[in-house]
Amino acid sequence: MEENNIELYQSRIKRVLITQDEIAAAIKETGEKISASYDGRPILLVSILKGSFVFLADLCRAITVPCEIGFMCAKSYYNGTVSAGVVKITMDLEQDISKYHVIIVEDIIDTGRTLNDVVKLLKTRKPISLKVVTLLDKPSRRKVAFEADMALFTIPDHFVIGYGLDCGEYYRNLPYIAEYDETK
């Protein structure tokens, strides 16, 4: 990346909304709740790629009981800051989820369309139970009636980046959640 591009990249980080320490504390607490709720029962953590991979990695380490992981890719954002309004499953689970308590691990619930469609699909596969945990919840943008079972943070209507969330595939590596400056 050229120096001008690096400056532009950094200038688009408007402000930090949630610090690395705040994220770590919330994940530790959520991991303890999940561990207490599912001790001795088969858990499958399902990461919705790409945005939730960082959250999944930290959350599964905070869970102290045995769990497995699986991955799906469901897209509704296509290189921009506004939802395309179309949800597409581009990678599906390999596991037979009927033998698991499934916990969908999501980075952010915005319009709710993506999770609503994923939950409907997974319910047809008859898991023992199905819950959704999201790092971020943005209820002011909801287009469908959908609520997570656990939301670590509720945020206002800002386009956010960091901790796995991106804009045009950049910023996923930030260790915090920041507001993206769309004016630059």
Side-chain angles (χ1 to χ4, degrees):
M1 188 175 269
E2 295 178 23
E3 190 170 327
N4 289 354
N5 289 342
I6 292 171
E7 288 173 17
L8 179 61
Y9 174 87
Q10 292 172 339
S11 74
R12 288 188 171 151
I13 302 169
K14 189 171 187 176
R15 65 187 168 114
V16 174
L17 296 176
I18 305 168
T19 68
Q20 185 174 3
D21 289 343
E22 290 170 324
I23 293 168
I27 289 174
K28 181 178 186 284
E29 181 181 333
T30 302
E32 290 168 357
K33 287 178 185 175
I34 290 171
S35 298
S37 296
Y38 292 93
D39 188 17
R41 300 191 290 164
I43 305 170
L44 176 64
L45 302 174
V46 176
S47 174
I48 307 298
L49 296 174
K50 295 180 188 173
S52 68
F53 79 99
V54 175
F55 179 35
L56 173 77
D58 287 345
L59 181 62
C60 76
R61 287 191 297 250
I63 294 171
T64 58
V65 298
C67 60
E68 295 180 38
I69 62 170
F71 297 95
M72 291 182 78
C73 190
K75 290 188 173 191
S76 65
Y77 286 88
Y78 300 99
N79 294 325
T81 61
V82 179
S83 174
V86 176
V87 176
K88 182 178 179 186
I89 305 295
T90 58
M91 184 177 90
D92 209 343
L93 287 170
E94 296 177 358
Q95 292 95 333
D96 171 6
I97 67 170
S98 67
K99 300 173 175 118
Y100 296 95
H101 293 276
V102 173
I103 302 172
I104 298 172
V105 178
E106 180 62 302
D107 56 352
I108 186 168
I109 301 174
D110 190 338
T111 65
R113 289 181 183 127
T114 302
L115 259 295
N116 192 51
D117 288 356
V118 169
V119 166
K120 282 181 185 176
L121 172 67
L122 293 184
K123 281 184 176 179
T124 66
R125 299 177 186 176
K126 302 191 182 336
I128 298 169
S129 69
L130 180 65
K131 302 276 185 190
V132 174
V133 60
T134 187
L135 178 66
L136 304 173
D137 188 15
K138 198 188 303 183
S140 64
R141 299 263 305 150
R142 220 49 112 244
K143 299 290 184 198
V144 298
F146 188 88
E147 284 190 41
D149 298 284
M150 289 182 269
L152 279 66
F153 300 96
T154 300
I155 61 169
D157 187 12
H158 300 300
F159 189 82
V160 292
I161 52 174
Y163 200 75
L165 290 100
D166 74 304
C167 183
E169 294 299 324
Y170 290 109
Y171 303 99
R172 293 186 195 278
N173 58 319
L174 298 175
Y176 50 80
I177 302 294
E179 181 180 353
Y180 180 78
D181 189 345
E182 299 179 64
T183 64
K184 298 193 177 197

